[in-house]
Amino acid sequence: SYRNVIPGEISLSGYNYQYQPWNHNNVIFEAKTSTDVHVALSPDSEEGQDKDDVYEIVIGGWTNSQSVIRRGMQGTNISGFAATPGILSPTEFRGFWIKTRQVRTKLVITVGKSGENDPFMTGEDKNPLPLKYLGFSAFYGFSASYRNVIPDFGEEMTTDEPELTTYLGENHFTTTTRKHINTL
């Protein structure tokens, strides 16, 4: 098993990201809140960050009714709005995954529920940012709790493509084939 990136459980209030260094393509986590899970993938930590140069994944926004992926905090949508009524719970943790991959010159971000292989939301950016930090936030006037934040190395991922090469950062690539990963 992998070490949790965030030990235990963290509770956040308001719209203020807490960042951790992150050098993985995929993350799984659990969240508990009545509305607005906010996850950021960013080239920089909070200090000095350009608020336009971040990917913001909103799950259960708009009073737990819609989800979206955008470039920038409150920025331009890079996915359509996904109808996700009741996806979050204020009383129990719900699990989610976020996967990123480079497809030619685009970055593709997919978001799904734990236990489901198919994403409920997909976004694409033709001018990809390097992803070095992972951030979590609640939203104005709300609190959110997060736990079990770990990398997902794709052991359970299946793909229709026979081979998918993913850039992991400086000279590190992985090749994913059906049901297993090899590091080159």
Side-chain angles (χ1 to χ4, degrees):
S1 71
Y2 302 106
R3 181 178 64 81
N4 285 349
V5 172
I6 297 172
E9 177 182 320
I10 60 163
S11 293
L12 303 172
S13 294
Y15 188 44
N16 181 25
Y17 281 99
Q18 301 297 312
Y19 284 93
Q20 300 285 330
W22 191 254
N23 62 352
H24 307 286
N25 289 339
N26 307 324
V27 61
I28 55 178
F29 64 94
E30 294 178 323
K32 179 172 67 172
T33 183
S34 60
T35 186
D36 283 273
V37 160
H38 279 71
V39 181
L41 298 169
S42 174
D44 296 304
S45 64
E46 195 169 18
E47 298 79 32
Q49 174 185 306
D50 181 341
K51 304 296 188 227
D52 293 328
D53 282 343
V54 61
Y55 295 110
E56 185 170 55
I57 294 100
V58 181
I59 301 171
W62 297 271
T63 61
N64 201 15
S65 67
Q66 296 185 93
S67 300
V68 73
I69 305 168
R70 49 194 176 205
R71 170 124 178 204
M73 292 173 63
Q74 302 296 310
T76 303
N77 294 356
I78 61 168
S79 75
F81 283 98
T84 55
I87 197 167
L88 302 174
S89 169
T91 58
E92 69 179 21
F93 279 92
R94 302 266 172 98
F96 300 96
W97 51 261
I98 299 169
K99 296 181 180 183
T100 66
R101 72 177 195 266
Q102 194 80 27
V103 177
R104 296 181 193 86
T105 59
K106 294 186 297 193
L107 179 72
V108 177
I109 301 171
T110 53
V111 182
K113 293 189 221 176
S114 292
E116 295 183 7
N117 288 328
D118 293 331
F120 61 80
M121 183 168 62
T122 300
E124 294 184 358
D125 187 7
K126 294 179 177 145
N127 187 20
L129 299 168
L131 306 179
K132 297 180 181 175
Y133 290 87
L134 173 69
F136 291 93
S137 178
F139 199 56
Y140 297 116
F142 294 95
S143 295
S145 295
Y146 296 93
R147 71 179 187 191
N148 296 330
V149 179
I150 59 173
D152 175 3
F153 291 106
E155 287 86 355
E156 298 174 7
M157 184 177 75
T158 59
T159 177
D160 293 335
E161 301 164 15
E163 190 171 279
L164 177 67
T165 300
T166 306
Y167 179 67
L168 292 176
E170 272 182 67
N171 302 322
H172 300 294
F173 291 83
T174 62
T175 300
T176 305
T177 54
R178 292 185 192 278
K179 299 255 184 200
H180 68 277
I181 273 195
N182 297 317
T183 301
L184 300 179

